[in-house]
């Protein structure tokens, strides 16, 4: 083990900027500043103007406890009473203020995407989109502050991070022309084609209304009842059942705008686009057993990973890219309806062209003020970016502001610090709950003469947002969709055919679990009917697991060209921020060299030892394999005593979950004791930690040892 005790803050997760003393402090002092990895919203005014005020200006200040109105207090531990044993007096304003405020600390959680975590960052534009959009923040070299919130969809605010679910990926760009929100998901398609079905899909997927279970998961009757009857959900459900439904890290997820957007250039020319976020660390998922373990051992797994990585300086990055399509009258591309949000355009047909780089470089300084109060909206657009007639998108344009009025207690939530635009605001919206702007003038209406006719409307040359004057199709008023929307299976089949063998095994196992958790046989049978329309092998595997006959397809199975871009297997990725556990069963052993070698590769070494001590970050009591991308076993336990069961669990799970394992100095014996075959793929044995690490690092580039999975079906 290293003899050096890590400095405060060297291992991410320190709760405050300086370590606390053991004894209760006796001298007052100003509140501590935020930690170096944290940032607060810009201190712009409620109407979007730079104030120049430091972030501390909106934090608490002064050394002494005060009331909300700034009066110093001398006691906050005792109510004001008529004698030490007497009744509490109604006149105790401090008691009533303290309790009243506490009683109202909670606000309604989001109706969907309630659980989330977020970070501040910057978006730097490459300028490559400048030829198709006049959006100023997409001009070359422009740097735009951003706030990004990742979320699960189904669970409540306190639910676990690693549940099988879609993940939200919402980005607020504070551009000079106003706020642009790209409110996407980590899955490029959606369950429904029309927003009017959103309450249906969410009611079906949320916990059942009688017992309010299960929490944060789709493995229940109402969800499968809906998606097997409403088969336009098939493709999204398949993504959910794939490894994409359980990301390894928020830093390793793709993001998608889902809908087709319309970009508008300086001359008014239009191009249809789909937005993609591509993680620099590659797309990587948990295996199902890891997801389940993490939900119990560390329900904050993703939240912690994101915050720790940013704190450690491993700032996650994504490239923003666009697939571009000509803005034709039919809004189709190679037979794919661009207005149907249940369809992708394979990247092989329309490559994703990079247009900028997102870097998340700071954690929020206050979860409630920032992550909870941030309010995204698909309708927050800037000149150069316009919407299309996608009926899902159109409903979203109504829904977000509507829900935020309830969630954030009135119409003035754009004035909350995290939501404030960095562009000047000169609206005619007035008053309302929690108004913090102090508007001047007497004429918030147009036309007026009393305020000199102001505010004036801007022309295109003054940077106005002007909706692109695209033709509206001549038609009749109907509640209907285009015929192309009826194809619910061909792209699900395309996805299935694009998966590698272990990915297909994972998908089949996920359907077997989820349908297996349904109570009603009819729903399981209906689920199999849907699977038969995706693929016979998938259907038969799940049918066998459910103990039911596999039905025949009811549609002709498509024969699409597979899209390799959909698979996570077959590429290599940078190692930055990957976590290597160095297991030291012998408390006296020095692993400083191995630790330094891990750091030199820009990875994070965590030393795991039987008990705590100098240079130890995890003990057998606190370590589980889920946390590590690879393990180095620096020896085996000595003596005749049985090997600690927790150590065997750690190593055995790492082996089963396809993680790279390196053993040296007799670590082979530990591998064998944990049931790992030393001849198996991705198990390295050598003489020195640094030597073994080199080979382990090579394996880490492909995220997992995929070849090991077929030896462990069902993991
Ligand atoms: C492509 C389809 C959709 C995507 C990608 C999507 C994405 C998201 C994301 C990422 C969030 C979380 C925002 C945050 O972090 O605060 C969210 C919230 C929400 N979404 Fe959607 N959504 C979709 C469809 C819809 C539809 C069709 C509706 C309703 C018609 C809807 C209603 C909502 C509501 C009400 C919230 C909560 C907003 C809040 O309380 O601030 N979404 N959605």
């Amino acid at each position: 083990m290293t003899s050096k005790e890590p400095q405060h803050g060297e291992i991410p997760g320190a709760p405050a900027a300086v370590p606390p003393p053991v004894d209760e402090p006796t001298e007052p002092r100003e509140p501590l500043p935020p930690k170096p990895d944290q940032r607060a919203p810009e201190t712009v005014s409620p109407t979007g103007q730079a104030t120049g005020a430091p972030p501390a200006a909106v934090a608490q200040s002064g050394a002494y406890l005060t009331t909300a109105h700034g009066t110093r207090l001398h006691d906050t531990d005792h109510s004001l009473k008529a004698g030490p044993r007497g009744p509490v007096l109604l006149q105790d304003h401090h008691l009533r203020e303290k309790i009243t405020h506490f009683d109202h600390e909670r606000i309604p959680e989001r109706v969907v995407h309630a659980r989330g975590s977020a970070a501040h960052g910057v978006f730097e534009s490459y300028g490559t989109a400048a030829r198709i959009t006049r959006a100023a923040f997409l001009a070359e070299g422009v740097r735009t502050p951003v706030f990004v919130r990742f979320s699960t969809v189904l669970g409540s605010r306190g639910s676990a991070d690693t549940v099988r679910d879609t993940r939200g990926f919402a980005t607020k760009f504070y551009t000079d022309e106003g706020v642009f929100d790209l409110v996407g998901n980590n899955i490029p398609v959606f369950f429904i084609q029309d927003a009017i079905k959103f309450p249906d899909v969410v009611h079906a997927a949320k916990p059942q209304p009688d017992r309010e279970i299960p929490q944060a998961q789709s493995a229940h009757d109402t969800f499968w009842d809906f998606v097997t009857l409403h088969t336009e959900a098939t493709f999204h459900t398949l993504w959910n059942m794939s490894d994409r439904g359980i990301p390894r890290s928020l830093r390793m997820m793709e993001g998608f705008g889902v809908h087709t957007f319309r970009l508008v250039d300086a001359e008014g020319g239009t191009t249809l686009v789909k937005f993609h976020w591509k993680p620099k660390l590659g797309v990587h998922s948990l295996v199902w057993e890891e997801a389940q373990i993490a939900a119990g051992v560390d329900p904050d797994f993703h939240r912690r990973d994101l915050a720790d990585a940013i704190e450690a300086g491993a700032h996650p990055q994504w490239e923003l890219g666009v697939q571009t399509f000509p803005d034709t009258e039919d809004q189709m591309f190679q037979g794919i309806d661009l207005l149907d949000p249940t369809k992708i355009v394979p990247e092989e047909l329309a490559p994703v062209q990079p247009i900028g780089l997102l870097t998340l470089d700071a954690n929020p300084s206050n979860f409630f003020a920032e992550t909870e109060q941030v309010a995204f909206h698909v309708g927050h657009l800037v000149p150069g970016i316009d919407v299309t007639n996608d009926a899902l998108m159109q409903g979203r344009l109504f829904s977000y502001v509507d829900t935020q009025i309830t969630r954030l207690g009135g119409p003035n939530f754009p004035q909350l610090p995290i939501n404030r635009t960095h562009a000047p605001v000169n609206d005619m919206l007035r008053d309302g709950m929690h108004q913090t702007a102090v508007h001047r003038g007497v004429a918030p209406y147009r036309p007026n003469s009393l305020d000199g006719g102001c505010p004036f409307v801007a022309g295109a040359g003054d940077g106005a947002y002007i909706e692109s004057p695209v033709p509206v199709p001549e038609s009749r008023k109907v509640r209907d969709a285009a015929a192309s929307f009826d194809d619910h299976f061909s792209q699900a089949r395309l996805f299935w055919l694009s998966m590698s063998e272990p990915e297909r095994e994972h998908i089949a196992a996920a359907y077997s679990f989820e349908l297996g958790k349904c109570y009603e046989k009819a729903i399981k049978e209906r689920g199999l009917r849907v699977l038969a329309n995706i693929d016979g092998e998938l259907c038969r595997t799940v049918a066998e697991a459910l103990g039911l006959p596999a039905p025949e397809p009811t549609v002709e199975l498509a024969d699409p060209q597979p899209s390799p871009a959909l698979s996570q297997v077959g590429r290599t990725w940078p190692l930055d921020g990957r976590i290597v556990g160095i297991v030291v069963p012998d408390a006296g052993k020095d692993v400083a060299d191995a630790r330094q070698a891990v750091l030199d590769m820009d990875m994070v070494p965590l030393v795991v030892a039987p008990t705590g001590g100098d240079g130890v970050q995890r003990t057998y009591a606190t370590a589980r394999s889920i946390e590590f991308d690879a393990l180095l076993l620096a020896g085996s336990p000595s003596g005749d005593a049985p090997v600690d069961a927790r150590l065997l669990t750690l190593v055995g799970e790492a082996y089963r979950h396809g993680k790279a394992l390196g053993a040296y100095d007799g670590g082979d014996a530990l591998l064998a004791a944990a049931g790992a075959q030393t001849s198996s793929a991705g198990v390295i044995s050598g003489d020195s930690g640094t030597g073994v690490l080199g080979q382990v690092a090579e394996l880490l580039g492909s995220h997992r040892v995929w070849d090991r999975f077929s030896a462990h079906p069902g993991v």
Side-chain angles (χ1 to χ4, degrees), residues 6-22:
Q7 297 300 298
H8 186 260
E10 187 181 301
I11 306 293
V18 296
V22 175

Side-chain angles (χ1 to χ4, degrees), residues 523-545:
I523 293 175
K524 298 180 204 217
E525 286 175 348
R526 214 189 291 139
L528 291 173
R529 279 193 214 162
V530 172
L531 294 186
N533 288 345
I534 301 175
D535 185 77
E537 178 201 332
L538 172 63
C539 180
R540 282 188 294 280
T541 312
V542 178
E544 193 184 334

Side-chain angles (χ1 to χ4, degrees), residues 514-592:
E514 297 255 333
L515 286 168
K517 293 287 259 186
C518 291
Y519 183 93
E520 297 294 351
K521 189 173 167 215
I523 293 175
K524 298 180 204 217
E525 286 175 348
R526 214 189 291 139
L528 291 173
R529 279 193 214 162
V530 172
L531 294 186
N533 288 345
I534 301 175
D535 185 77
E537 178 201 332
L538 172 63
C539 180
R540 282 188 294 280
T541 312
V542 178
E544 193 184 334
L546 298 177
L548 291 170
E552 290 300 314
T554 54
V555 297
E556 193 180 332
L557 296 191
D559 187 19
Q561 192 66 21
S563 165
L566 295 172
S567 170
Q568 297 185 32
V569 181
R571 275 166 288 174
T572 52
W573 306 102
L575 303 182
D576 307 34
R578 309 316 295 268
I579 298 174
V580 179
I582 306 178
V583 182
V584 192
D586 169 5
K589 192 176 181 74
D590 187 342
V591 290

Side-chain angles (χ1 to χ4, degrees), residues 109-113 149-151 167-170 183-185 187 189-190 192 194-196 198-199 256-259 341 371 374-376 392-393 395-396 399-400 403-404 407-408:
E109 63 176 36
R110 289 169 178 80
V111 61
V112 283
H113 295 265
R149 183 175 182 270
F150 303 102
S151 47
R167 300 298 187 288
F169 190 140
V183 198
N185 282 340
I187 289 179
V189 288
F190 206 63
I192 48 173
D194 187 319
I196 200 166
F198 194 67
F256 303 91
V258 183
H259 314 284
T371 310
V374 69
F376 296 94
L392 186 70
M393 187 185 221
R396 296 180 75 194
S399 182
Y400 287 72
T403 194
Q404 281 148 4
R407 184 168 73 80
L408 297 167

